[in-house]
Amino acid sequence: MPAQFCPTPCALDDLELLLNGGFAPQTNFDDEGPIRLALPAELADEAEIEIVDPEGLPLATWTPGGLTPLSAPSYGPFRRLHLDPTSARAQHAGALTVPVAAALTDDDLAAIQEAREGRDVVLLAFVGSGTPQDISPVGLVRASLAAAELLGNAYVVAATLAAHGDPEADHELGQRVAANYASGDVLAVTGSGELPIEIAGIVDTDQPEEPGVVVFFTGLSGSGKSTLAQALLDLVLEAGQRTVTSLDGDVVRRNLSAGLTFSKADRETNIRRIGWVAAEIARHRGIAICSPIAPFDETRQQVRAMVEAAGGEFVLVHVATPLEECERRDRKGLYAKARAGEIPEFTGISSPYEEPTDAAVRVDTTGRTIEDALGDVLAVLPFDL
Ligand SMILES: Nc1ncnc2c1ncn2[C@@H]1O[C@H](COP(=O)(O)OS(=O)(=O)O)[C@@H](OP(=O)(O)O)[C@H]1O
Ligand SMILES: Nc1ncnc2c1ncn2[C@@H]1O[C@H](COP(=O)(O)OP(=O)(O)O)[C@@H](O)[C@H]1O
């Protein structure tokens, strides 16, 4: 059995174009160029890898010598428009092909009408990760369908051309993909001018304005994480503008993370689970308020990366109430038990807490009211309450 590997969204997009001829003559990942598989160190020496999608569906077998398809992706919005180049050329023989990475403007449509000279038009929507400009991949297809309607005798074909972080290389790849999909001429548009009203409506409703936000409280047991998180939750609910989800340390451990211990490995698993859920909430533009101890810097960084990869803003709040004050409060009597040796690996006593150096704010609640301490948090939030 070859080792399985789920690559980045960008590499999954590349895979689709490598397998369907979109990147022809290139048919396999490269060691050097932008189209890379980027295997993790533990798989770097494998001679054969089974590439799977995030759900674990095997997509292809990779060897340095070539890719063998295992199953074609059959899911995802507008999948029916994902033609391979051979089918696109056959279905739209002689059409004018227009690569599209942003919603088409009035000027673009006029340029297409002028250049088409009676021919059909193929709008080749580049929907790969990071490529659509100021619009989601789904929004780009919807805007292109509206443009096709305005043009008449025009068709939308989707190709998963992703952005690889190198504009020059991506431009060259875009030209190559367009040439492979086109059976006739290719026309580049400029994007200058206004959006037609039918397209502007789609762009406006494509994505809500505000990004998702994850407010992540970290600190010792008894520092005030849950208290501040609850107060913040209530304020967001009272404002009534945004959906909000609480992921409190204790509550998560009774549900999502039931059965996990307080070993380093289990704490990391616990935090990564919270991070994964919070990132999904952020992806859908909600607010997640998390309040676990999260004692390890590296795991907190992973959560930040997950949230930011999902397009969310990550606000780390260090509830920096000192151990002496937390122990004095000892709301649940846990510190006394930990000191007596009845609870092993207790954070701050017999298990480490790594202080964050990347917090948006540091709040010591000692001798302060909840409202006062919460004010420090509100001051760094990227939304108004
Ligand atoms: N060994 C040990 N160390 C720390 N905390 C302990 C331990 N055993 C139980 N508890 C209780 O569990 C709560 C912390 O759980 P978390 O999920 O937030 O911890 S972690 O982020 O996974 O480290 C924590 O709740 P809070 O006081 O709300 O932080 C404690 O009540
Ligand atoms: N300014 C403050 N902010 C937050 N909690 C405070 C403050 N002052 C006192 N406390 C008290 O400290 C305790 C903090 O407990 P909790 O919020 O459960 O902490 P944690 O979730 O970090 O374990 C509560 O009893 C709370 O009333």
Side-chain angles (χ1 to χ4, degrees):
M1 274 279 285
Q4 287 196 328
F5 175 57
C6 175
T8 59
C10 172
L12 285 173
D13 288 337
D14 288 346
L15 177 69
E16 189 168 325
L17 292 176
L18 289 168
L19 292 175
N20 77 7
F23 280 145
Q26 186 169 349
T27 54
N28 197 3
F29 290 99
D30 234 353
D31 286 339
E32 293 301 322
I35 306 170
R36 290 201 213 176
L37 190 53
L39 291 170
E42 66 270 22
L43 297 180
D45 296 329
E46 297 283 333
E48 188 177 325
I49 304 263
E50 190 169 278
I51 301 177
V52 299
D53 75 3
E55 274 86 47
L57 176 75
L59 297 174
T61 307
W62 171 88
T63 69
L67 285 164
T68 310
L70 294 174
S71 59
S74 56
Y75 55 86
F78 296 118
R79 176 52 55 183
R80 63 192 172 281
L81 301 178
H82 286 237
L83 301 185
D84 61 66
T86 309
S87 310
R89 289 196 306 267
Q91 286 179 29
H92 303 293
L96 174 70
T97 297
V98 183
V100 179
L104 292 173
T105 62
D106 280 327
D107 290 1
D108 293 337
L109 295 183
I112 295 168
Q113 292 297 34
E114 196 183 323
R116 71 188 298 181
E117 293 171 342
R119 291 173 289 179
D120 283 356
V121 171
V122 169
L123 301 177
L124 184 61
F126 286 155
V127 293
S129 97
T131 297
Q133 297 294 302
D134 301 322
I135 194 163
S136 69
V138 167
L140 182 67
V141 175
R142 294 182 64 232
S144 301
L145 287 168
E149 189 84 1
L150 292 170
L151 288 165
N153 293 329
Y155 305 89
V156 178
V157 172
T160 57
L161 178 69
H164 301 81
D166 176 346
E168 216 171 291
D170 285 330
H171 183 69
E172 191 275 318
L173 286 174
Q175 288 182 323
R176 197 198 306 173
V177 172
N180 283 325
Y181 273 85
S183 66
D185 295 337
V186 175
L187 176 75
V189 289
T190 63
S192 62
E194 300 293 316
L195 294 177
I197 191 157
E198 296 85 345
I199 296 178
I202 291 169
V203 173
D204 285 349
T205 56
D206 177 43
Q207 292 169 334
E209 293 283 296
E210 295 156 311
V213 181
V214 174
V215 186
F216 194 101
F217 292 90
T218 171
L220 298 171
S221 175
S223 58
K225 303 180 299 293
S226 305
T227 305
L228 292 173
Q230 181 65 53
L232 176 60
L233 181 81
D234 291 345
L235 280 186
V236 179
L237 288 172
E238 285 168 23
Q241 302 294 309
R242 308 277 304 247
T243 64
V244 58
T245 308
S246 165
L247 293 165
D248 182 71
D250 289 315
V251 179
V252 168
R253 278 190 173 269
R254 278 198 301 279
N255 297 281
L256 183 65
S257 290
L260 293 187
T261 70
F262 286 88
S263 68
K264 182 168 196 275
D266 273 7
R267 287 182 199 253
E268 285 171 342
T269 300
N270 177 40
I271 299 309
R272 277 198 292 266
R273 286 182 187 174
I274 292 173
W276 189 86
V277 175
E280 287 306 305
I281 290 167
R283 192 188 306 285
H284 298 289
R285 317 236 158 205
I287 296 174
I289 301 175
C290 313
S291 45
I293 295 177
F296 301 114
D297 180 60
E298 194 185 339
T299 335
R300 293 190 299 255
Q301 304 281 358
Q302 288 169 355
V303 175
R304 180 189 288 277
M306 282 190 262
V307 171
E308 290 177 351
E313 293 193 37
F314 183 77
V315 180
L316 186 65
V317 178
H318 179 198
V319 186
T321 313
L323 177 65
E324 305 71 58
E325 172 66 9
C326 298
E327 200 166 355
R328 191 192 62 72
R329 292 177 184 169
D330 205 7
R331 241 170 45 111
K332 302 175 191 163
L334 296 175
Y335 281 99
K337 285 191 183 151
R339 288 282 183 205
E342 289 168 29
I343 306 178
E345 297 190 273
F346 196 83
T347 306
I349 308 289
S350 45
S351 182
Y353 177 82
E354 297 170 5
E355 302 239 333
T357 52
D358 59 338
V361 65
R362 187 175 184 278
V363 188
D364 179 350
T365 65
T366 313
R368 301 178 70 188
T369 65
I370 294 165
E371 292 69 30
D372 186 29
L374 187 62
D376 293 0
V377 180
L378 299 183
V380 297
L381 292 182
F383 53 87
D384 291 327
L385 285 174

